[in-house]
């Protein structure tokens, strides 16, 4: 007997293979985010239980400051990398990664020095934490840059292994920090373990970061990089302004209460923070291979995250109080009243990140910048206005409303960008 294969069956095989490859890359992305989430969650829980709500508030201020610097690095170094060098030939990828990671290391060194100087000048409870953060900043940013680099190459397994190395190194570091029992010690433990993983990233890739080529990278990517810089800093800067303002209006303990509630939503917040590791490269691939599917891809992405956040938040609301106390200690009593607001905020942000990934893949930097500036202004206004009117709870409600409003703007802009792209296709991928 002879077997025959129809043309339709032949056409289906490449499609199935492409879907399997996509599922594989997304699976490694989810695994990497799970590893990152577990590490961040463990650090937050450990500090909250060890130091109490006021010291945890100080740690949270250092955390959001790191978030601002991280987003500076991503905007200048790694966001352009994943947009323009995802799925390109290896030689092009290696050259771009050397320049991109060198830029991240340079940003970490320069801003780390500023953070160290600020910490030494501040003194008191906050100063030592910021000084420690400044010392650890280069390693923290370089580790994050390796994760972006591996996902741009479609090799999420290496990013996952790198995060596992960080998590393993974190265990003895946190034990030592617990004996010292200060916020600065915990910041040093967190950053030192990240530096170990950053060093291992060079071993994994066989690439040395080229700080001397950072200026050339910035010049080559300036059309995207500087817009992404403003966009990213407006996002993390809004969080920082809200945290500082909440500390002034209500008290440092309020910052700890908000951070505690966010920790309980940690798995989804971690995905949102590192979303571009997986979704922007994948959206760029979808755009090249099947541009008519990009809108649907973004909708599934955003809708899935929003649904997951709502389900997780609902489960937290049904959780017995004693489990919350076991996780957060004394912080639980203040954080438990904010779960509804934080859940809505995360769901709104999750929905919006689907549209944001689409705009990044399209290279529509002007549109995404416009969206982020609007969302950030709403975030700060809602967070601080709510704090002035209703304290910590009012601030959380204000942020929830701002996040949902911002998500709607992201989707309106993506719809317009897709229409423009269908009329006049834009190619943003560079291979040299």
């Amino acid at each position: 007997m002879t077997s025959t294969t129809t043309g339709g069956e032949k056409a289906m095989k490449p499609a199935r293979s492409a879907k399997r490859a996509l599922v594989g890359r997304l699976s490694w992305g989810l695994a990497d985010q799970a590893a990152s989430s577990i590490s961040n969650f463990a650090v937050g829980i450990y500090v909250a239980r060890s130091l109490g709500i006021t010291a945890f508030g100080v740690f949270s201020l250092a955390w959001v400051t790191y978030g601002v610097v991280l987003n500076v690095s991503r905007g200048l170094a790694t966001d352009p990398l994943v947009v323009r060098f995802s799925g390109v030939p290896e030689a092009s990828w290696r050259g771009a990664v050397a320049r991109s990671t060198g830029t991240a290391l340079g940003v970490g060194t320069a801003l780390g020095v500023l953070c160290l100087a600020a910490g030494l000048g501040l003194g008191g409870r906050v100063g030592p934490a910021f000084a420690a953060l400044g010392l650890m900043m280069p390693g923290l940013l370089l580790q994050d840059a390796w994760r972006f680099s591996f996902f741009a190459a479609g090799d999420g397994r290496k990013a996952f292994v790198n995060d596992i190395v960080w998590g393993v190194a974190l265990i003895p570091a946190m034990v030592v920090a617990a004996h010292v029992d200060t916020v600065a010690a915990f910041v040093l433990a967190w950053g030192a373990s990240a530096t170990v993983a950053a060093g291992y990233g060079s071993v994994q890739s066989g690439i040395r970061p080229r700080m001397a080529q950072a200026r050339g990278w910035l010049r080559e990517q300036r059309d995207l990089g500087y817009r992404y810089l403003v966009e990213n800093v407006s996002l993390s800067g809004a969080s920082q302004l809200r945290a500082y303002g909440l500390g002034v209006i209500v008290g440092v303990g309020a910052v700890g209460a908000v951070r505690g509630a966010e920790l309980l939503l940690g798995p989804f917040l971690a995905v949102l923070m590192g979303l571009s590791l997986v979704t922007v490269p994948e959206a760029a691939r979808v755009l090249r291979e099947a541009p008519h599917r990009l809108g649907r891809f973004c909708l599934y992405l955003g809708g899935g995250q929003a649904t997951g956040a709502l389900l997780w938040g609902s489960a937290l609301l049904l959780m017995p109080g004693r489990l919350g106390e076991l996780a957060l200690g004394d912080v639980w009593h203040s954080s438990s009243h904010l779960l509804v607001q934080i859940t809505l905020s995360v769901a709104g942000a999750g929905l919006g990140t689907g549209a944001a990934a689409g705009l990044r893949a399209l290279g529509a930097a002007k549109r995404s910048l416009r969206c982020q500036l609007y969302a950030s202004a709403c975030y700060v206004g809602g967070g601080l206005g709510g704090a002035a009117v209703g304290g910590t709870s009012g601030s959380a409600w204000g942020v929830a409303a701002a996040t949902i409003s911002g998500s709607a703007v992201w989707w309106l802009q993506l719809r317009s960008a897709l229409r423009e792209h269908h009329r006049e296709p834009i190619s943003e991928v560079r291979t040299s």
Side-chain angles (χ1 to χ4, degrees):
M1 294 177 64
T2 59
S3 60
T4 59
T5 303
T6 66
E9 289 173 337
K10 290 180 179 180
M12 288 174 65
K13 288 181 179 179
R16 289 173 181 169
S17 178
K19 286 182 179 179
R20 283 197 295 268
L22 171 61
V23 170
R25 290 191 296 267
L26 289 177
S27 296
W28 279 117
L30 291 173
D32 176 70
Q33 289 302 327
S36 176
S37 172
I38 290 170
S39 296
N40 291 336
F41 183 76
V43 170
I45 293 296
Y46 205 75
V47 174
R49 289 185 57 82
S50 299
L51 301 181
I53 192 166
T54 301
F56 185 57
V58 173
F59 182 84
S60 299
L61 290 176
W63 184 282
V64 297
T65 302
Y66 157 71
V68 175
V69 178
L70 177 65
N71 279 297
V72 171
S73 175
R74 288 181 175 180
L76 294 176
T78 50
D79 282 346
L81 176 75
V82 297
V83 169
R84 286 179 164 154
F85 294 91
S86 292
V88 301
E90 184 178 359
S92 298
W93 174 81
R94 293 180 68 85
V97 167
R99 301 194 302 277
S100 175
T101 54
T103 302
L105 191 58
V107 170
T109 301
L111 297 185
V113 169
L114 293 178
C115 193
L116 174 63
L120 294 175
L122 284 172
R125 277 175 167 252
V126 177
F130 276 70
L133 179 63
L135 290 173
M136 295 295 103
M137 198 68 79
L140 285 163
L141 298 192
L142 181 57
Q143 193 275 338
D144 184 75
W146 286 125
R147 297 171 69 211
F148 271 80
S149 301
F150 294 139
F151 277 107
D155 195 353
R157 180 183 61 84
K158 287 185 177 179
F160 171 74
V161 171
N162 194 273
D163 267 326
I164 292 296
V165 169
W166 185 2
V168 171
L170 186 62
I171 296 172
M174 294 297 284
V175 172
V176 173
H179 285 290
V180 180
D181 203 32
T182 64
V183 176
F186 281 105
V187 173
L188 288 171
W190 170 54
S193 54
T195 301
V196 172
Y200 183 62
S202 292
V203 175
Q204 288 177 289
S205 64
I207 299 172
R208 289 178 56 191
R210 303 289 184 181
M211 284 183 62
Q213 297 180 16
R215 182 175 297 179
W217 174 262
L218 294 175
R219 184 172 57 251
E220 292 168 14
Q221 311 301 328
R222 62 182 178 272
D223 58 327
L224 291 183
Y226 292 118
R227 288 195 179 102
Y228 288 158
L229 169 65
V230 176
E231 180 181 330
N232 289 356
V233 170
S234 69
L235 170 63
S236 54
S239 298
Q240 189 176 30
L241 286 174
R242 187 260 183 127
Y244 290 167
L246 187 60
V248 171
I249 296 170
V250 184
V252 175
V255 181
V258 171
R259 177 61 185 155
E262 291 175 345
L263 271 177
L264 296 175
L265 272 294
F268 296 98
L269 287 170
V271 170
L272 294 181
M273 288 175 63
L275 186 66
S276 57
L277 289 171
V278 183
T279 56
V280 174
E282 291 306 326
R285 288 185 177 93
V286 172
L287 180 64
R288 287 197 300 271
E289 297 169 6
H292 61 284
R293 294 180 181 172
L294 180 60
R296 188 186 310 166
F297 173 83
C298 295
L299 182 60
Y300 288 158
L301 174 67
Q305 287 191 100
T307 301
L310 291 173
L311 291 173
W312 185 269
S314 298
L316 290 175
L317 290 171
L318 299 174
M319 183 176 66
R322 62 181 181 276
L323 292 181
E325 292 177 2
L326 182 64
L328 295 178
D330 293 339
V331 177
W332 165 255
H333 298 291
S334 300
S335 298
S336 60
H337 302 293
L338 307 175
L339 288 177
V340 172
Q341 301 96 305
I342 299 296
T343 297
L344 292 174
S345 296
V346 175
L351 185 61
T353 49
L359 286 175
R360 286 288 176 93
L362 288 164
K366 289 182 180 180
R367 289 187 178 276
S368 61
L369 175 59
R370 196 178 305 146
C371 292
Q372 192 56 67
L373 290 176
Y374 171 83
S376 297
C378 289
Y379 185 96
V380 174
L384 297 187
V389 173
T392 309
S393 179
S395 179
W397 278 117
V399 166
T403 305
I404 294 170
S405 172
S407 178
V409 172
W410 279 105
W411 279 102
L412 289 172
Q413 289 294 321
L414 176 61
R415 186 176 66 174
S416 298
L418 286 171
R419 288 175 177 172
E420 287 181 1
H421 181 78
H422 292 322
R423 288 197 300 266
E424 185 178 353
I426 302 169
S427 176
E428 282 293 345
V429 177
R430 295 180 181 177
T431 59
S432 62

